[in-house]
Structures are given as C-alpha cells and as structure tokens.
Amino acid sequence: QVWLVESGGNSVQAGDSLRLSCAASGLRSNSHLVAMGWFRQAPGKDREFVASIRWSGGSTYYADSVKGRFTISRDKVKPTISLQMDRLKTEDTAVYYCAAQRLGAGEYDTWGQGTQVTVSS
C-alpha cells in the first residue's frame, strides 16, 4: 500500500511564502512513480490542479493562476515533492492535496489527506 503525507500548511498573510511537502511511503520502487502533483480545493469549489512534476524527467506543469509564484520540486531518493509558494494571495486559501500517479495508472491514483493553507489580507 502506498500512502502520501502532506505537511507545511499554515495560516499566513497575503504576500507571505509557504512551503508544502509530501512524502510518499510504501513504494516498492521509486521507478513505479510516473508523476506527482498538488491539487487544491477551496470551500464551495471543486478540486483544481495546481502543479505537477514528471518523476523521471522532472518536467513541471503549473496552473495559470500560480505560474510564476509557485515552484514544484522533487527528491527522487526520499521520495518527496515540495511546493514553494511565494507571493501568496487570499484566493490561494484551500486544502492542498498531494497526489501520485503510479506506473500503469492512467491518472493520479493515490491521494494524501490534505493540508490547510489559509491566506488572510
């Protein structure tokens, strides 16, 4: 069984920075990962894509709303991913979920429990 554990959520002021981390456990091999990413869900809204990173090549993808402010990175050894969030806005307030796409899965098939990020003005 694979599980993901997020950390780093907090309450901050607009303009501040925050760093989220996600640790993956239970993998038989890190090569079983295709990609990992971050999603978020604000109150009353659907879950939305934030950022992702391809595990082997390291290509990154971002939602337009966070491009230039957020940076996703990975540590292939641990394995973990991080999301550096700079110049936070109130609209970034949401529960942030880490997700993993394993080899053979056509989409993200493993999810963390989420970590709350609250940005106040």
Side-chain angles (χ1 to χ4, degrees):
Q1 183 180 356
V2 178
W3 62 95
L4 306 175
V5 179
E6 303 102 332
S7 62
N10 211 333
S11 295
V12 296
Q13 297 288 317
D16 285 352
S17 297
L18 203 58
R19 187 177 182 87
L20 304 182
S21 294
C22 173
S25 302
L27 287 166
R28 283 180 293 177
S29 169
N30 292 353
S31 63
H32 289 181
L33 283 172
V34 174
M36 291 187 70
W38 291 95
F39 292 74
R40 67 187 182 187
Q41 187 167 20
K45 295 187 177 181
D46 293 333
R47 185 170 59 193
E48 64 175 2
F49 167 79
V50 175
S52 67
I53 186 165
R54 303 292 291 184
W55 202 250
S56 59
S59 297
T60 57
Y61 307 89
Y62 297 93
D64 288 342
S65 58
V66 306
K67 204 171 292 183
R69 299 188 298 122
F70 290 10
T71 304
I72 189 170
S73 59
R74 74 187 191 306
D75 182 325
K76 296 185 72 175
V77 176
K78 292 184 178 180
T80 60
I81 60 169
S82 296
L83 185 69
Q84 177 65 38
M85 304 185 294
D86 297 321
R87 303 193 303 281
L88 282 161
K89 303 177 180 180
T90 56
E91 51 263 44
D92 294 320
T93 295
V95 177
Y96 284 70
Y97 296 92
C98 175
Q101 179 185 357
R102 291 180 292 170
L103 196 64
E107 57 186 9
Y108 289 98
D109 64 323
T110 304
W111 296 83
Q113 293 299 306
T115 185
Q116 177 71 46
V117 172
T118 303
V119 185
S120 57
S121 57

